[in-house]
Amino acid sequence: MNSFSDIIETIKKYDKIVILRHQNPDPDALGSQTGLATALREAYPDKKILIGGHNAEGLKWLSTMDEVSDDDYNGALVISVDTANTPRVDDDRFNNGDFLIKIDHHPNDEAYGDQLFVNTDASSCSEIIADLIDSTEELTLTKSVAYYLYAGIVGDTGRFMYPSTTEHTLNIAARLVSLGIDFSGINQSMNEITLAQAKLQGELFNRLKVDKSGAAVAVIDLDLMKKLGINQEKANSVVSTPGRLHEVTSWLEAVQKDDGTFRMHLRSQGPVINGLAKEHDGGGHPLASGANAKNLDEVNQMFKELIEIVQDFKSKGE
């Protein structure tokens, strides 16, 4: 594991820097990526600093990506943030640079990169970027940087409701707010959904299967998304919805992809579920992970395994 000072020294050596994050980005991926890029642009105006990946339609209010050419990678420093493993990096050219740094808060199952800094105790990668900036006089936590980092922290802590929120997290958030950012506007943008997404929430409750153990599963198939006029990205807005139910302890949401397979979203309020995700082509945090299922049979198998996990958790009185 490298130190913040190691990373800063490497950054200072390169005139071209490309910052990447994971596919299907959430606010923390975009917040840490763009927050770091903004801090570096302000500190080193003569460096060429680009952010890469596909734009997320529902998060264009937060950040949009640069056009990154093949030549931009030639001799460049590449920094990957908020991305646990290389298959999830949102640009297959991430290894085409001269040097690669990984900065992340997920379990370090793939220790890729020439340098890496991973802190699984951090609420978010945006929190780590704030700490990185604070660690050196080279960078400054400005209002423009704070906007992105606050959005990332709020996104990954579920507005400070998740167990990953610590005193340190709240102290950083308070500092970001003190810089004069429009935190109310950020919160409103995150909270806002379309009428179609609201209707999807109602459909979700109708489709949700809740086992007596407290495990639950819901399938959002292509037919439902077509009926409501929403895409897979917008369907992801209801991932946290089952957690509002008193009867639900841990849950799966299966969102069907165009090829008929399913993107699996796993969430929990106690039982550790990232082991289940790893067994099904995925991974993530102990209480929030993602995986993949080839078909409904695999979705149902995952539900059975989740029931066992929740039963075991409750039998131990954890």
Side-chain angles (χ1 to χ4, degrees):
M1 194 76 67
N2 296 97
S3 66
F4 283 150
S5 60
D6 293 334
I7 291 171
I8 294 298
E9 286 305 310
T10 300
I11 287 172
K12 289 163 65 176
K13 294 176 183 177
Y14 285 86
D15 293 327
K16 287 195 297 184
I17 301 173
V18 180
I19 305 175
L20 303 174
R21 38 70 187 165
H22 62 73
Q23 301 165 1
N24 302 311
D26 54 12
D28 186 36
L30 294 178
S32 56
Q33 178 190 34
T34 315
L36 176 59
T38 303
L40 295 183
R41 286 166 179 164
E42 292 176 351
Y44 309 110
D46 294 332
K47 294 182 185 291
K48 184 176 185 179
I49 298 166
L50 300 170
I51 54 175
H54 295 84
N55 281 311
E57 290 299 319
L59 289 172
K60 283 187 174 180
W61 61 268
L62 178 56
S63 179
T64 56
M65 300 297 102
D66 298 315
E67 291 289 338
V68 184
S69 69
D70 290 345
D71 185 62
D72 288 325
Y73 280 96
N74 185 26
L77 168 64
V78 180
I79 304 175
S80 172
V81 298
D82 198 37
T83 309
N85 49 52
T86 52
R88 294 207 68 206
V89 179
D90 196 14
D91 192 328
D92 292 338
R93 301 170 295 175
F94 70 91
N95 257 331
N96 290 359
D98 183 66
F99 199 89
L100 177 63
I101 298 175
K102 171 186 179 180
I103 302 175
D104 193 25
H105 70 125
H106 297 91
N108 195 26
D109 294 328
E110 184 182 346
Y112 66 88
D114 301 297
Q115 288 181 341
L116 69 158
F117 182 91
V118 177
N119 179 9
T120 57
D121 292 328
S123 69
S124 55
C125 197
S126 294
E127 180 178 315
I128 294 175
I129 298 302
D131 287 336
L132 171 66
I133 293 170
D134 279 342
S135 74
T136 177
E137 294 182 356
E138 297 282 337
L139 307 178
T140 305
L141 192 60
T142 63
K143 179 180 178 180
S144 54
V145 174
Y147 174 84
Y148 300 109
L149 300 186
Y150 179 84
I153 290 172
V154 169
D156 251 29
T157 61
R159 299 172 184 82
F160 310 109
M161 290 177 59
Y162 298 159
S164 60
T165 305
T166 65
E167 178 182 356
H168 183 61
T169 307
L170 295 172
N171 285 334
I172 289 177
R175 283 189 57 212
L176 301 177
V177 170
S178 74
L179 292 170
I181 62 172
D182 181 15
F183 65 91
S184 178
I186 293 173
N187 293 338
Q188 179 59 34
S189 294
M190 287 193 177
N191 190 54
E192 189 175 82
I193 60 173
T194 65
L195 179 59
Q197 287 172 311
K199 290 180 178 178
L200 177 60
Q201 287 188 345
E203 290 281 358
L204 180 80
F205 286 126
N206 289 332
R207 291 173 173 235
L208 191 68
K209 297 179 183 178
V210 183
D211 183 74
K212 61 183 180 181
S213 65
V217 63
V219 175
I220 300 173
D221 56 31
L222 291 172
D223 288 341
L224 177 59
M225 287 186 278
K226 182 178 180 180
K227 171 187 171 184
L228 295 177
I230 64 173
N231 57 23
Q232 294 160 29
E233 179 186 329
K234 290 184 177 179
N236 292 339
S237 67
V238 300
V239 167
S240 299
T241 299
R244 299 172 59 188
L245 299 177
H246 174 74
E247 294 84 357
V248 174
T249 301
S250 303
W251 63 99
L252 304 171
E253 282 188 24
V255 179
Q256 193 169 28
K257 297 188 283 188
D258 292 336
D259 62 2
T261 63
F262 293 87
R263 178 59 182 169
M264 303 298 298
H265 302 275
L266 296 78
R267 299 292 185 271
S268 179
Q269 298 183 15
V272 174
I273 42 78
N274 60 345
L276 172 59
K278 291 177 186 177
E279 293 173 3
H280 295 270
D281 188 29
H285 299 291
L287 304 182
S289 295
N292 294 284
K294 301 181 188 68
N295 47 43
L296 281 175
D297 286 342
E298 187 170 0
V299 172
N300 292 329
Q301 177 60 36
M302 289 184 68
F303 184 40
K304 291 178 182 177
E305 293 171 13
L306 180 63
I307 291 172
E308 293 176 0
I309 290 170
V310 176
Q311 287 175 335
D312 183 60
F313 176 85
K314 292 187 174 181
S315 69
K316 295 177 180 177
E318 297 181 80

